[in-house]
Amino acid sequence: MSIPKQTMAGYLFKDRRWGCRKLSSPENCVERDFGDVTKKENDLYVTFLFSTATADNVAINDIVDDDGYERP
């Protein structure tokens, strides 16, 4: 089972970053069309926040001010 961060990486990148277990097809990869959106020098820069909670104790909170989220 993959955590959300690993699943998201499969759709974003051409390689297995963030512990990705399965990549999407090359034609559906975000990196193919927009480059690496996690790099500040890219025209399209995105910050992702992922919960560190596991499925058995997850709760939705204010992800901006909550310490329970990590930036990759």
Side-chain angles (χ1 to χ4, degrees):
M1 176 187 264
S2 295
I3 60 175
K5 181 178 172 181
Q6 293 169 320
T7 302
M8 187 67 171
Y11 293 105
L12 289 174
F13 308 118
K14 297 176 191 174
D15 56 3
R16 295 182 186 272
R17 285 187 240 172
W18 299 353
C20 172
R21 295 179 183 187
K22 181 181 177 188
L23 296 171
S24 70
S25 60
E27 62 272 0
N28 292 328
C29 177
V30 170
E31 191 173 15
R32 183 189 130 224
D33 294 327
F34 300 101
D36 186 344
V37 296
T38 63
K39 295 192 183 225
K40 289 184 179 182
E41 61 272 5
N42 195 7
D43 289 338
L44 176 62
Y45 170 67
V46 180
T47 298
F48 293 95
L49 300 175
F50 295 99
S51 174
T52 54
T54 58
D56 55 338
N57 66 359
V58 71
I60 303 222
N61 298 308
D62 178 357
I63 64 172
V64 174
D65 294 324
D66 191 320
D67 291 338
Y69 295 84
E70 67 178 51
R71 295 174 192 266

Coordinates of all heavy atoms in Angstrom, one line a residue:
M1 N 0.8 -1.2 0.0 CA 0.0 0.0 0.0 C 0.9 1.2 0.0 O 1.9 1.3 0.7 CB -0.9 0.0 1.2 CG -1.7 1.3 1.3 SD -2.7 1.4 2.8 CE -4.2 0.7 2.3
S2 N 0.5 2.2 -0.8 CA 1.3 3.5 -0.9 C 0.6 4.5 -0.1 O -0.6 4.6 0.1 CB 1.4 3.9 -2.3 OG 2.1 3.1 -3.1
I3 N 1.4 5.4 0.5 CA 0.9 6.6 1.2 C 0.6 7.7 0.1 O 1.1 7.6 -1.0 CB 1.8 7.1 2.2 CG1 3.2 7.5 1.7 CG2 2.0 6.1 3.3 CD1 4.1 8.2 2.6
P4 N -0.3 8.7 0.4 CA -0.6 9.7 -0.6 C 0.6 10.4 -1.3 O 0.5 10.6 -2.5 CB -1.5 10.7 0.2 CG -2.1 9.8 1.3 CD -1.0 8.8 1.6
K5 N 1.6 10.6 -0.5 CA 2.8 11.3 -1.1 C 3.4 10.4 -2.2 O 3.8 10.9 -3.2 CB 3.8 11.5 0.0 CG 5.1 12.2 -0.4 CD 5.9 12.4 0.9 CE 7.3 12.9 0.6 NZ 8.1 13.1 1.8
Q6 N 3.5 9.1 -2.0 CA 4.1 8.2 -3.0 C 3.2 8.1 -4.2 O 3.6 8.1 -5.3 CB 4.2 6.8 -2.4 CG 5.3 6.8 -1.3 CD 5.2 5.5 -0.5 OE1 4.2 4.9 -0.2 NE2 6.4 4.9 -0.2
T7 N 1.9 8.1 -4.0 CA 0.9 8.0 -5.1 C 1.0 9.3 -5.9 O 1.0 9.2 -7.2 CB -0.5 7.9 -4.6 OG1 -0.6 6.7 -3.8 CG2 -1.5 7.8 -5.7
M8 N 1.0 10.5 -5.3 CA 1.1 11.7 -6.0 C 2.4 11.8 -6.8 O 2.4 12.3 -8.0 CB 1.1 12.9 -5.0 CG 1.0 14.2 -5.6 SD -0.6 14.4 -6.4 CE -0.5 16.1 -6.8
A9 N 3.5 11.3 -6.3 CA 4.8 11.3 -7.0 C 4.7 10.5 -8.3 O 5.3 10.8 -9.3 CB 5.9 10.7 -6.1
G10 N 3.9 9.4 -8.3 CA 3.7 8.6 -9.5 C 3.1 9.4 -10.6 O 3.3 9.1 -11.8
Y11 N 2.3 10.4 -10.3 CA 1.6 11.2 -11.4 C 2.5 12.4 -11.7 O 2.3 13.0 -12.8 CB 0.3 11.7 -10.9 CG -0.7 10.6 -10.8 CD1 -1.1 10.1 -9.5 CD2 -1.3 10.0 -11.9 CE1 -2.0 9.0 -9.4 CE2 -2.2 8.9 -11.8 CZ -2.5 8.5 -10.5 OH -3.4 7.4 -10.4
L12 N 3.4 12.9 -10.8 CA 4.1 14.1 -11.1 C 5.4 13.8 -11.8 O 5.8 14.6 -12.7 CB 4.5 14.7 -9.7 CG 3.4 15.4 -8.9 CD1 4.0 15.8 -7.6 CD2 2.8 16.6 -9.7
F13 N 6.2 12.8 -11.5 CA 7.5 12.7 -11.9 C 7.7 11.5 -12.9 O 7.0 10.5 -12.9 CB 8.5 12.5 -10.7 CG 8.3 13.5 -9.6 CD1 7.9 13.2 -8.4 CD2 8.6 14.8 -9.9 CE1 7.8 14.2 -7.4 CE2 8.4 15.8 -9.0 CZ 8.0 15.5 -7.7
K14 N 8.8 11.6 -13.7 CA 9.2 10.6 -14.6 C 10.0 9.5 -13.9 O 10.1 8.4 -14.4 CB 10.1 11.1 -15.7 CG 9.4 12.1 -16.6 CD 10.4 12.7 -17.6 CE 9.8 13.9 -18.3 NZ 10.8 14.5 -19.2
D15 N 10.5 9.8 -12.7 CA 11.3 8.8 -12.0 C 10.6 8.5 -10.6 O 9.6 9.1 -10.3 CB 12.7 9.3 -11.7 CG 12.8 10.7 -11.1 OD1 11.7 11.2 -10.7 OD2 13.9 11.2 -10.9
R16 N 11.2 7.6 -9.8 CA 10.6 7.2 -8.6 C 11.0 8.0 -7.4 O 11.8 7.5 -6.6 CB 10.9 5.7 -8.4 CG 10.2 4.8 -9.4 CD 10.5 3.3 -9.1 NE 10.0 2.5 -10.2 CZ 8.8 2.0 -10.2 NH1 7.9 2.3 -9.3 NH2 8.4 1.3 -11.3
R17 N 10.6 9.2 -7.3 CA 10.9 10.1 -6.2 C 9.9 9.9 -5.1 O 8.8 9.4 -5.3 CB 10.9 11.5 -6.6 CG 12.1 11.9 -7.4 CD 12.1 13.4 -7.6 NE 12.1 13.6 -9.1 CZ 12.0 14.7 -9.6 NH1 11.8 15.8 -8.9 NH2 12.0 14.8 -11.0
W18 N 10.2 10.4 -3.9 CA 9.4 10.4 -2.7 C 8.9 8.9 -2.4 O 7.8 8.7 -1.8 CB 8.1 11.3 -2.9 CG 8.4 12.7 -3.1 CD1 9.6 13.4 -3.1 CD2 7.4 13.7 -3.5 NE1 9.4 14.7 -3.3 CE2 8.1 14.9 -3.6 CE3 6.1 13.6 -3.7 CZ2 7.4 16.1 -3.9 CZ3 5.4 14.8 -4.0 CH2 6.1 16.0 -4.1
G19 N 9.7 7.9 -2.7 CA 9.3 6.6 -2.4 C 8.2 6.0 -3.3 O 7.5 5.0 -2.9
C20 N 8.0 6.6 -4.4 CA 7.0 6.2 -5.4 C 7.1 4.7 -5.7 O 8.2 4.2 -6.0 CB 7.1 7.0 -6.7 SG 6.1 6.5 -8.0
R21 N 6.0 4.0 -5.8 CA 6.1 2.6 -6.1 C 5.6 2.3 -7.5 O 6.0 1.3 -8.1 CB 5.2 1.8 -5.1 CG 5.7 1.9 -3.7 CD 4.9 1.2 -2.7 NE 5.4 1.4 -1.4 CZ 5.0 0.8 -0.3 NH1 4.0 -0.1 -0.4 NH2 5.5 1.0 0.8
K22 N 4.8 3.2 -8.1 CA 4.3 2.9 -9.4 C 4.2 4.3 -10.1 O 3.6 5.2 -9.6 CB 2.9 2.3 -9.3 CG 2.3 2.0 -10.7 CD 0.9 1.3 -10.5 CE 0.3 1.1 -11.9 NZ -1.1 0.7 -11.8
L23 N 4.7 4.3 -11.3 CA 4.7 5.5 -12.1 C 3.5 5.5 -13.1 O 3.0 4.5 -13.5 CB 5.9 5.7 -13.0 CG 7.2 5.8 -12.2 CD1 8.4 5.7 -13.2 CD2 7.3 7.2 -11.5
S24 N 2.9 6.7 -13.3 CA 1.8 6.8 -14.3 C 2.4 6.6 -15.7 O 3.6 6.6 -15.9 CB 1.1 8.1 -14.2 OG 1.9 9.2 -14.6
S25 N 1.6 6.5 -16.7 CA 2.1 6.4 -18.0 C 2.8 7.7 -18.4 O 2.4 8.7 -18.0 CB 1.0 6.1 -19.0 OG 0.0 7.1 -19.0
P26 N 3.9 7.6 -19.2 CA 4.7 8.8 -19.6 C 3.8 9.9 -20.2 O 4.1 11.1 -20.0 CB 5.7 8.2 -20.6 CG 5.8 6.8 -20.3 CD 4.4 6.3 -19.8
E27 N 2.8 9.6 -21.0 CA 2.0 10.6 -21.6 C 1.1 11.3 -20.6 O 0.6 12.4 -20.8 CB 1.2 10.1 -22.8 CG 0.2 9.0 -22.4 CD 0.7 7.6 -22.5 OE1 1.9 7.4 -22.7 OE2 -0.1 6.7 -22.2
N28 N 0.9 10.8 -19.4 CA 0.1 11.4 -18.3 C 0.9 12.0 -17.2 O 0.4 12.5 -16.2 CB -0.9 10.3 -17.7 CG -1.9 9.9 -18.7 OD1 -2.3 10.7 -19.6 ND2 -2.3 8.7 -18.6
C29 N 2.2 12.0 -17.4 CA 3.1 12.6 -16.3 C 3.1 14.1 -16.4 O 3.3 14.7 -17.4 CB 4.5 12.0 -16.6 SG 5.7 12.6 -15.5
V30 N 2.9 14.7 -15.2 CA 2.9 16.2 -15.1 C 4.2 16.8 -15.5 O 4.3 17.8 -16.2 CB 2.5 16.6 -13.7 CG1 2.8 18.1 -13.4 CG2 1.1 16.2 -13.3
E31 N 5.3 16.1 -15.1 CA 6.7 16.6 -15.5 C 6.9 16.7 -17.0 O 7.6 17.6 -17.4 CB 7.7 15.7 -14.8 CG 9.1 16.2 -14.9 CD 10.1 15.3 -14.1 OE1 9.8 14.2 -13.7 OE2 11.2 15.8 -13.8
R32 N 6.3 15.8 -17.7 CA 6.4 15.9 -19.2 C 5.9 17.2 -19.8 O 6.5 17.8 -20.6 CB 5.6 14.7 -19.8 CG 5.8 14.7 -21.3 CD 4.9 13.6 -22.0 NE 4.2 14.4 -23.0 CZ 3.0 14.3 -23.3 NH1 2.1 13.6 -22.6 NH2 2.5 15.0 -24.3
D33 N 4.8 17.7 -19.2 CA 4.2 18.9 -19.8 C 4.7 20.2 -19.1 O 4.7 21.3 -19.7 CB 2.7 18.8 -19.7 CG 2.1 17.7 -20.6 OD1 2.7 17.5 -21.7 OD2 1.1 17.1 -20.2
F34 N 5.0 20.1 -17.8 CA 5.2 21.3 -17.0 C 6.6 21.4 -16.4 O 6.9 22.3 -15.7 CB 4.2 21.5 -15.9 CG 2.8 21.6 -16.5 CD1 1.9 20.6 -16.4 CD2 2.4 22.8 -17.0 CE1 0.6 20.7 -16.9 CE2 1.1 23.0 -17.5 CZ 0.2 21.9 -17.5
G35 N 7.4 20.3 -16.6 CA 8.7 20.3 -15.9 C 8.5 19.9 -14.4 O 7.5 19.5 -14.0
D36 N 9.6 20.0 -13.7 CA 9.6 19.6 -12.2 C 8.9 20.8 -11.5 O 9.5 21.8 -11.2 CB 11.0 19.4 -11.7 CG 11.0 18.8 -10.3 OD1 9.9 19.0 -9.6 OD2 12.0 18.3 -9.9
V37 N 7.6 20.6 -11.1 CA 6.8 21.7 -10.5 C 7.3 21.9 -9.0 O 6.8 22.8 -8.4 CB 5.3 21.4 -10.6 CG1 4.9 21.4 -12.0 CG2 5.0 20.1 -9.9
T38 N 8.2 21.1 -8.5 CA 8.7 21.3 -7.1 C 9.9 22.1 -7.1 O 10.4 22.4 -6.0 CB 8.9 19.9 -6.5 OG1 10.0 19.2 -7.2 CG2 7.7 19.0 -6.5
K39 N 10.4 22.6 -8.2 CA 11.6 23.5 -8.2 C 11.2 24.9 -8.4 O 10.4 25.3 -9.3 CB 12.5 23.1 -9.4 CG 13.1 21.7 -9.2 CD 14.2 21.4 -10.1 CE 14.7 20.0 -9.9 NZ 16.0 19.9 -9.8
K40 N 11.7 25.8 -7.5 CA 11.3 27.2 -7.5 C 11.6 27.9 -8.8 O 10.9 28.9 -9.1 CB 11.9 27.9 -6.3 CG 11.4 27.5 -5.0 CD 12.0 28.2 -3.8 CE 11.3 27.8 -2.5 NZ 11.8 28.5 -1.4
E41 N 12.6 27.5 -9.5 CA 13.0 28.2 -10.7 C 12.1 27.8 -11.9 O 12.1 28.4 -12.9 CB 14.4 28.0 -11.1 CG 14.8 26.5 -11.3 CD 15.2 25.8 -10.1 OE1 15.1 26.3 -8.9 OE2 15.6 24.6 -10.2
N42 N 11.2 26.9 -11.7 CA 10.3 26.5 -12.7 C 9.2 27.5 -12.9 O 8.8 28.2 -11.9 CB 9.7 25.1 -12.4 CG 9.0 24.4 -13.5 OD1 9.1 24.9 -14.7 ND2 8.3 23.3 -13.3
D43 N 8.6 27.7 -14.1 CA 7.5 28.6 -14.3 C 6.3 28.3 -13.5 O 5.6 29.2 -13.0 CB 7.2 28.7 -15.8 CG 8.2 29.4 -16.6 OD1 9.0 30.1 -16.1 OD2 8.2 29.1 -17.9
L44 N 6.0 27.0 -13.3 CA 4.9 26.5 -12.5 C 5.5 25.9 -11.3 O 6.1 24.8 -11.4 CB 4.0 25.5 -13.3 CG 2.9 24.9 -12.5 CD1 1.9 26.0 -12.0 CD2 2.2 23.9 -13.3
Y45 N 5.5 26.6 -10.1 CA 6.0 26.0 -8.9 C 4.9 25.7 -7.9 O 4.0 26.6 -7.7 CB 7.0 27.1 -8.3 CG 7.4 26.7 -6.9 CD1 8.2 25.6 -6.7 CD2 7.0 27.5 -5.8 CE1 8.6 25.3 -5.4 CE2 7.4 27.2 -4.5 CZ 8.2 26.1 -4.3 OH 8.6 25.8 -3.0
V46 N 4.9 24.5 -7.3 CA 3.8 24.1 -6.5 C 4.5 23.6 -5.2 O 5.5 22.9 -5.2 CB 3.0 23.0 -7.1 CG1 1.9 22.5 -6.2 CG2 2.5 23.4 -8.4
T47 N 3.8 23.9 -4.0 CA 4.2 23.4 -2.7 C 3.2 22.4 -2.3 O 2.0 22.7 -2.3 CB 4.3 24.5 -1.7 OG1 5.3 25.4 -2.1 CG2 4.7 23.9 -0.3
F48 N 3.6 21.2 -2.0 CA 2.7 20.1 -1.6 C 2.8 19.9 -0.1 O 3.9 20.0 0.5 CB 3.0 18.8 -2.3 CG 2.8 18.8 -3.8 CD1 3.8 19.1 -4.6 CD2 1.5 18.5 -4.2 CE1 3.5 19.1 -6.0 CE2 1.2 18.6 -5.6 CZ 2.3 18.8 -6.5
L49 N 1.7 19.7 0.6 CA 1.7 19.4 2.0 C 1.0 18.1 2.2 O -0.1 17.8 1.7 CB 0.9 20.5 2.8 CG 1.4 21.9 2.7 CD1 0.4 22.8 3.4 CD2 2.8 22.0 3.3
F50 N 1.7 17.2 2.9 CA 1.2 15.8 3.1 C 1.1 15.5 4.6 O 2.0 15.9 5.3 CB 2.1 14.8 2.4 CG 2.2 14.9 0.9 CD1 3.2 15.5 0.3 CD2 1.2 14.3 0.1 CE1 3.3 15.7 -1.1 CE2 1.2 14.4 -1.2 CZ 2.3 15.1 -1.8
S51 N 0.0 14.9 5.0 CA -0.2 14.5 6.4 C 0.8 13.4 6.7 O 1.0 12.5 5.9 CB -1.6 14.0 6.6 OG -1.8 13.5 7.9
T52 N 1.3 13.5 7.9 CA 2.1 12.4 8.4 C 1.3 11.4 9.2 O 1.8 10.4 9.6 CB 3.2 13.0 9.4 OG1 2.5 13.7 10.4 CG2 4.2 13.9 8.7
A53 N 0.0 11.6 9.2 CA -0.9 10.6 9.9 C -1.1 9.4 9.0 O -0.9 9.4 7.8 CB -2.3 11.2 10.1
T54 N -1.4 8.3 9.6 CA -1.7 7.0 8.9 C -3.2 6.9 8.7 O -3.9 7.6 9.4 CB -1.1 5.8 9.6 OG1 -1.7 5.8 10.9 CG2 0.4 5.9 9.7
A55 N -3.6 6.0 7.9 CA -5.0 5.9 7.6 C -5.9 5.6 8.8 O -7.0 6.0 8.9 CB -5.2 4.8 6.6
D56 N -5.3 4.9 9.8 CA -6.2 4.6 11.0 C -6.3 5.8 12.0 O -7.1 5.7 12.9 CB -5.6 3.4 11.7 CG -4.1 3.6 12.1 OD1 -3.4 4.4 11.5 OD2 -3.7 2.8 13.0
N57 N -5.5 6.9 11.8 CA -5.7 8.0 12.7 C -5.7 9.4 12.0 O -5.4 10.4 12.6 CB -4.6 8.0 13.8 CG -3.2 8.2 13.2 OD1 -3.1 8.4 12.0 ND2 -2.2 8.3 14.1
V58 N -6.1 9.4 10.8 CA -6.1 10.6 10.0 C -7.3 11.4 10.3 O -8.4 10.9 10.6 CB -6.0 10.3 8.5 CG1 -7.3 9.7 8.0 CG2 -5.7 11.6 7.7
A59 N -7.1 12.7 10.4 CA -8.2 13.7 10.6 C -7.8 14.9 9.7 O -6.7 15.3 9.6 CB -8.3 14.1 12.0
I60 N -8.8 15.5 9.1 CA -8.6 16.7 8.3 C -8.5 17.9 9.2 O -9.4 18.2 10.0 CB -9.7 16.8 7.2 CG1 -9.7 15.6 6.4 CG2 -9.5 18.1 6.4 CD1 -9.9 15.6 5.0
N61 N -7.4 18.7 9.0 CA -7.2 19.9 9.8 C -6.8 21.0 8.9 O -6.7 20.9 7.7 CB -6.1 19.6 10.8 CG -6.4 18.6 11.8 OD1 -7.5 18.6 12.4 ND2 -5.5 17.6 11.9
D62 N -6.5 22.1 9.5 CA -6.0 23.3 8.7 C -4.5 22.9 8.4 O -3.7 23.0 9.2 CB -6.1 24.5 9.6 CG -5.5 25.7 8.9 OD1 -5.0 25.6 7.8 OD2 -5.5 26.8 9.5
I63 N -4.3 22.6 7.1 CA -3.0 22.1 6.8 C -1.9 23.2 6.7 O -0.7 22.9 6.8 CB -3.0 21.3 5.4 CG1 -3.4 22.2 4.3 CG2 -3.9 20.1 5.5 CD1 -3.2 21.6 2.9
V64 N -2.3 24.4 6.7 CA -1.3 25.5 6.6 C -0.6 25.7 8.0 O 0.6 25.9 8.1 CB -1.9 26.8 6.1 CG1 -1.0 27.9 6.1 CG2 -2.4 26.6 4.7
D65 N -1.4 25.7 9.0 CA -0.9 26.0 10.4 C -0.7 24.7 11.2 O -0.3 24.9 12.4 CB -1.8 27.0 11.1 CG -1.8 28.3 10.4 OD1 -0.8 28.7 9.9 OD2 -2.9 28.9 10.3
D66 N -0.9 23.6 10.7 CA -0.9 22.4 11.5 C 0.5 21.7 11.4 O 1.1 21.6 10.3 CB -1.9 21.4 11.0 CG -2.1 20.2 11.9 OD1 -1.1 19.7 12.4 OD2 -3.2 19.7 12.1
D67 N 1.1 21.4 12.5 CA 2.4 20.7 12.5 C 2.4 19.3 12.0 O 3.5 18.6 11.9 CB 3.1 20.8 13.9 CG 3.4 22.2 14.3 OD1 3.6 23.0 13.4 OD2 3.5 22.4 15.5
G68 N 1.2 18.7 11.8 CA 1.1 17.3 11.4 C 1.3 17.1 9.9 O 1.0 16.0 9.4
Y69 N 1.8 18.1 9.2 CA 2.0 18.0 7.8 C 3.5 18.3 7.4 O 4.1 19.1 8.1 CB 1.1 19.0 7.0 CG -0.4 18.6 7.2 CD1 -1.1 19.1 8.3 CD2 -1.0 17.8 6.3 CE1 -2.4 18.7 8.4 CE2 -2.3 17.4 6.4 CZ -3.0 17.9 7.5 OH -4.3 17.6 7.7
E70 N 4.0 17.6 6.4 CA 5.4 17.8 6.0 C 5.4 18.4 4.6 O 4.6 18.1 3.8 CB 6.1 16.5 6.1 CG 5.7 15.5 5.1 CD 6.5 14.2 5.2 OE1 6.6 13.7 6.3 OE2 6.9 13.8 4.2
R71 N 6.5 19.1 4.3 CA 6.8 19.5 3.0 C 7.9 18.7 2.4 O 8.9 18.5 3.0 CB 7.3 21.0 3.0 CG 6.2 22.0 3.4 CD 6.8 23.4 3.6 NE 5.9 24.3 4.2 CZ 5.0 25.0 3.6 NH1 4.9 25.1 2.3 NH2 4.2 25.8 4.3
P72 N 7.7 18.0 1.3 CA 8.7 17.1 0.7 C 9.9 17.9 0.3 O 9.9 19.0 0.0 CB 8.0 16.4 -0.4 CG 6.7 17.0 -0.6 CD 6.4 18.0 0.5

